[in-house]
């Protein structure tokens, strides 16, 4: 029962949120777009001039861009595979009856609430450090050479840290989906002689497909923007071995003060994120019944 | 016989699950334990697990050296402030979307969500320059504004999904009785929506507390919340494991407790209703 009066009220109550978000999105984005066509360096104020698409040409042909693109894909892909595989395993485990299930559940989701700078520094220093870290102590204890994780395998180490942070999210969502599975179907399949593996492949996995897609899309949005973990562990190095697109744009704009080039990079990042966002929005939109 | 088999299975599953749970939790446990060691013991080889000389000196030293509580307070102000401000703007918006949906409500809702998908580097430079020109760099108010805006879509969405579970007839009845819009929202809707609003509040405080892109880029010594303060341990002087652990433990403990309370809302809040 919406009257003309309540329609007007609806517009009025919605407007602050809409105006704020519009301002937040539109104004800076237009500014970024504008800067991306300028020669604009903060160290040389007053020399700004229009240079067309030159910034894009430089950014997109820079070898650093390709390595950053590769690192971004490896980081996103690696974390997705590990969190979804691990999340399915953990969801199946936590779905079983056992003693202290509530407490184990709390232990498993805990990493999600640890701030990125803390988890990155704890992993870097207290676990992965080749001299004083716990992994090194364990390696020495069993007679192996300690491994210098962040020097020898920097990107894999960051993938490991980020996986630890996101595993709880994937687990919780997959567990929620798993618990909505019709138990009678599983029991019926078992009666018919389907083994555990058959039941997993033909009943459980298809049931989890939707949740896996949602985890993939939402995590991708966040993983494209991984920043703090890189900043406090490797600063994008050694060389550019752990520089992703987000870190590259940060370094170009706030470390080299190249506003024009950084802006072009920012726009490229927006385009990349939008490719993923379109799919995610469709999924959420399909589920929204207004 | 069957009962014994079930019990044995339970025992095996219990053992596996607890092992996995403790392995995943271990980095946090290890940090908490190290925070009570001396710096020398924190790097002792082989590492000591529980049999060490427990001390609180790291906690005292972290506060003395770096004014820890200033940064802790910054985190509280920024996360709670941005969440309350966000609720203030989002409650009316979610009310209209849930109870007076129009043709374009769906589009507005989806559009709001799309702003959340904008990568922060896409707007880093303009925000940085605007903050510089308006004197908002390294200010708590600036961080409150930015975190309000980045979490606003999540707040609107969460409230919307909670409000939709409230029967609209009750609100209509109050309208029939002559209640104005303000009274309808304040005295009819809000009391019924308290659980939903509380969950929204909790989840957004957690998200804001742990936000580490804008807080790292827009804050310095004065307004730095714990995310940025802890980052200063990435270029340490001398032995620092125990101090890093003490600072980290205090930064993580309160939010971990809140997080454990809000674990049910987590799925709902972060999937925008796509998983039920």
């Amino acid at each position: 029962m919406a009257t003309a009066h309540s329609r007007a009220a609806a517009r009025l109550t919605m407007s602050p949120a809409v105006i704020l978000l519009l301002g937040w999105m539109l104004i800076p984005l237009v500014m970024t777009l504008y800067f991306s066509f300028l020669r604009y360096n903060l160290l040389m104020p007053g020399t700004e001039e229009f240079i067309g698409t030159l910034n894009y040409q430089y950014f997109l042909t820079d070898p650093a861009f390709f390595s950053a693109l590769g690192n971004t894909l490896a980081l996103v892909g690696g974390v997705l595979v590990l969190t979804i595989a691990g999340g399915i395993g953990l969801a199946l485990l936590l779905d079983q009856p056992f003693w202290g299930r509530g407490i184990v559940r709390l232990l498993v989701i805990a990493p999600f609430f640890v701030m990125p700078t803390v988890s990155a520094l704890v992993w870097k220093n207290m676990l992965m450090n080749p001299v004083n870290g716990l992994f090194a102590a364990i390696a020495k204890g069993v007679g192996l050479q300690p491994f210098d994780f962040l020097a020898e395998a920097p990107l894999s180490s960051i993938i490991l840290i980020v996986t630890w942070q996101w595993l709880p999210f994937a687990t919780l969502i997959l567990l929620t989906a798993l618990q909505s599975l019709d138990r009678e179907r599983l029991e019926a399949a078992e009666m018919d002689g389907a083994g555990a593996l058959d039941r997993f492949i033909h009943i459980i996995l298809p049931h989890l497909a939707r949740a896996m897609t949602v985890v993939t899309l939402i995590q991708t949005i966040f993983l494209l923007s991984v920043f703090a973990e890189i900043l406090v562990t490797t600063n994008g190095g050694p060389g550019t071995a752990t520089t992703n697109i987000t870190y590259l744009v940060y370094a170009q704009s706030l470390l080299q003060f190249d506003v024009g080039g950084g802006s072009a990079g920012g726009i490229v990042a927006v385009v990349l994120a939008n490719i993923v966002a379109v799919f995610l929005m469709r999924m959420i939109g399909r589920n929204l019944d207004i | 016989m069957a009962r014994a088999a079930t019990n044995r299975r339970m025992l095996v599953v219990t053992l596996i699950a607890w092992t996995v749970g403790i392995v995943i939790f271990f980095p946090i446990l290890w940090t908490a334990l190290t925070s009570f060691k001396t710096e020398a013991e924190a790097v002792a080889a082989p590492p000591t697990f529980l049999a060490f000389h427990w001390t609180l000196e790291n906690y005292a030293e972290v506060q003395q050296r770096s004014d820890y509580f200033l940064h802790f307070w910054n985190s509280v102000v920024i996360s709670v402030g941005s969440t309350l401000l966000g609720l203030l703007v989002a409650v009316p918006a979610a009310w209209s979307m849930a109870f007076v949906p129009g043709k374009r409500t769906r589009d507005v809702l989806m559009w709001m969500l799309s702003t959340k998908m904008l990568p922060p580097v896409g707007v880093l430079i303009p925000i940085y320059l605007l903050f510089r020109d308006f004197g908002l760099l390294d200010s708590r108010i600036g961080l409150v504004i930015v975190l309000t805006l980045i979490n606003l879509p999540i707040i609107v969405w969460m409230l919307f999904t909670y409000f939709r579970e409230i029967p609209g007839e009750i609100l209509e009845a109050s309208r029939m009785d002559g209640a104005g819009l303000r009274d309808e929202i304040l005295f009819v809707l809000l009391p019924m929506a308290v659980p939903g609003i509380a969950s929204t509040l909790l989840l957004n405080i957690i998200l804001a507390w742990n936000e580490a892109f804008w807080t790292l880029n827009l804050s310095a010594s004065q307004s730095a919340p714990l995310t940025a303060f802890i980052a200063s341990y990435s270029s340490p002087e001398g032995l620092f494991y125990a101090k890093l652990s003490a600072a980290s433990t205090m930064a993580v403990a309160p939010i971990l407790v809140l997080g454990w309370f809000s674990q049910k809302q987590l799925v709902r809040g972060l999937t925008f209703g796509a998983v039920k």
Side-chain angles (χ1 to χ4, degrees):
Chain A
M1 197 214 65
T3 59
H5 176 70
S6 62
R7 285 246 175 280
R11 268 198 291 276
L12 189 72
T13 49
M14 201 147 41
S15 50
V18 171
I19 292 169
L20 281 176
L21 280 176
L22 203 61
W24 163 248
M25 191 164 86
L26 220 53
I27 297 171
L29 205 54
V30 168
M31 284 171 75
T32 305
L33 199 61
Y34 172 67
F35 292 154
S36 73
F37 294 110
L38 295 183
R39 182 199 312 280
Y40 183 178
N41 194 304
L42 287 179
L43 293 181
M44 294 176 280
T47 61
E48 295 86 31
E49 59 171 329
F50 185 79
I51 52 168
T53 58
L54 210 55
N55 283 323
Y56 289 93
Q57 289 173 33
Y58 278 132
F59 189 82
L60 292 173
T61 55
D62 186 351
F65 167 70
F66 289 102
S67 97
L69 189 63
N71 290 337
T72 306
L73 293 177
L75 180 61
V76 174
V79 175
L80 280 178
V81 169
L82 291 173
T83 51
I84 289 179
I88 291 177
L90 280 171
L92 288 172
L93 186 63
L94 293 176
D95 193 40
Q96 312 281 323
F98 62 86
W99 290 296
R101 192 154 72 150
I103 300 172
V104 171
R105 205 181 134 114
L106 291 183
L107 295 180
V108 168
I109 63 168
F112 189 75
F113 303 111
V114 177
M115 51 178 67
T117 43
V118 165
S119 40
L121 283 176
V122 163
W123 276 85
K124 175 191 179 185
N125 294 303
M126 294 166 55
L127 300 176
M128 289 175 165
N129 185 290
V131 181
N132 295 323
L134 191 65
F135 293 164
I138 294 172
K140 279 181 231 159
V142 297
L144 292 172
Q145 272 304 324
F147 185 70
D148 190 349
F149 287 87
L150 283 158
E152 304 285 336
L155 191 58
S156 306
S157 303
I158 289 181
I159 290 175
L160 182 62
I161 298 172
V162 179
T163 298
W164 181 73
Q165 293 177 286
W166 282 95
L167 189 58
F169 176 77
T171 304
L172 264 185
I173 291 185
L174 291 165
L175 183 61
T176 308
L178 192 60
Q179 283 168 344
S180 71
L181 178 64
D182 184 5
R183 299 291 137 156
E184 282 172 17
R185 268 189 71 201
L186 277 182
E187 277 162 26
E190 198 173 353
M191 301 274 201
D192 290 345
L197 190 66
D198 277 336
R199 273 174 283 153
F200 177 70
I201 292 175
H202 296 293
I203 301 179
I204 297 179
L205 266 191
H207 179 77
L208 291 182
R210 188 187 160 77
M212 281 157 67
T213 317
V214 172
V215 170
T216 305
L217 294 170
I218 291 179
Q219 284 198 151
T220 304
I221 297 283
F222 284 97
L223 294 175
L224 283 173
S225 299
V226 165
F227 172 75
E229 294 85 345
I230 296 173
L231 180 78
V232 300
T233 52
T234 62
N235 268 311
T240 56
T242 54
T243 298
N244 64 354
I245 302 260
T246 299
Y247 194 84
L248 182 67
V249 175
Y250 155 80
Q252 191 139 19
S253 22
L254 295 188
L255 299 182
Q256 294 162 29
F257 304 105
D258 177 6
V259 170
S263 297
I267 296 295
V268 172
V270 170
V271 171
L272 288 177
N274 269 337
I275 297 173
V276 184
V278 166
F279 289 104
L280 179 55
M281 300 287 289
R282 273 209 202 122
M283 285 217 52
I284 294 171
R286 223 177 291 147
N287 220 37
L288 178 73
D289 44 336
I290 298 183
Chain B
M1 200 48 208
R3 198 185 155 80
T6 322
N7 263 337
R8 188 161 341 125
R9 188 188 147 83
M10 264 283 265
L11 190 65
V12 173
V13 176
T14 304
L15 277 177
I16 297 174
W18 274 89
T19 311
V20 171
I22 289 171
V23 166
I24 291 178
F25 188 71
F26 189 78
I28 301 172
L29 179 66
W30 188 243
T31 308
L33 287 174
T34 306
S35 73
F36 297 111
K37 296 177 180 176
T38 60
E39 288 295 358
E41 215 150 5
V43 295
T48 47
F49 193 70
L50 288 171
F52 55 83
H53 176 70
W54 291 65
T55 172
L56 284 171
E57 67 183 27
N58 301 303
Y59 287 91
E61 193 155 337
V62 163
Q63 165 59 16
Q64 256 169 23
R65 273 204 195 176
S66 49
D67 200 0
Y68 186 86
F69 283 103
L70 169 72
H71 303 293
F72 191 89
W73 182 240
N74 285 343
S75 273
V76 172
V77 170
I78 292 165
S79 58
V80 176
S82 67
T83 303
L84 291 180
L85 202 60
L87 279 174
L88 200 66
V89 178
V91 166
W95 166 83
S96 72
M97 289 168 171
F99 299 114
V100 204
K103 276 199 200 80
R104 273 178 304 171
T105 300
R106 185 196 165 86
D107 297 333
V108 173
L109 212 47
M110 295 306 285
W111 167 75
M112 283 192 172
L113 189 57
S114 76
T115 66
K116 185 71 202 159
M117 293 168 195
L118 184 69
V121 282
V123 292
L124 171 64
I125 298 167
I127 296 295
Y128 185 86
L129 295 178
L130 288 172
F131 266 51
R132 185 195 62 183
D133 295 344
F134 285 99
L136 287 171
L137 282 179
D138 198 19
S139 75
R140 284 199 294 235
I141 183 76
L143 287 173
V144 167
I145 294 171
V146 167
L147 292 195
T148 300
L149 290 166
I150 62 167
N151 283 333
L152 191 55
I154 294 187
I155 301 183
V156 171
W157 261 86
M158 280 188 80
L159 288 177
F160 169 76
T161 60
Y162 284 113
F163 285 0
R164 293 222 333 153
E165 287 165 9
I166 295 171
E169 290 81 18
I170 300 179
L171 298 193
E172 271 169 34
S174 79
R175 229 172 288 159
M176 298 289 185
D177 291 344
L181 178 59
R182 196 180 66 98
D183 289 349
E184 178 186 327
I185 292 183
L186 273 184
F187 299 117
V188 185
L189 173 62
L190 286 189
M192 282 192 289
V194 164
I197 292 178
S199 326
T200 311
L201 182 91
L202 218 55
L203 181 65
N204 278 281
I205 288 178
I206 295 170
L207 291 178
W209 184 277
N210 289 339
E211 201 287 329
F213 181 81
W214 294 108
T215 50
L216 282 170
N217 278 311
L218 298 178
S219 76
S221 57
Q222 279 313 299
S223 74
L226 290 167
T227 43
F229 167 69
I230 304 267
S232 67
Y233 279 93
S234 61
S235 47
E237 294 153 18
L239 286 174
F240 69 105
Y241 282 18
K243 284 190 277 292
L244 167 66
S245 298
S248 299
T249 304
M250 282 191 283
V252 169
I255 225 62
L256 191 56
V257 174
L258 285 190
W260 279 339
F261 278 116
S262 70
Q263 52 162 320
K264 291 239 165 61
Q265 279 68 46
L266 197 69
V267 173
R268 182 178 191 147
L270 289 176
T271 60
F272 307 100
V275 170
K276 280 171 188 155

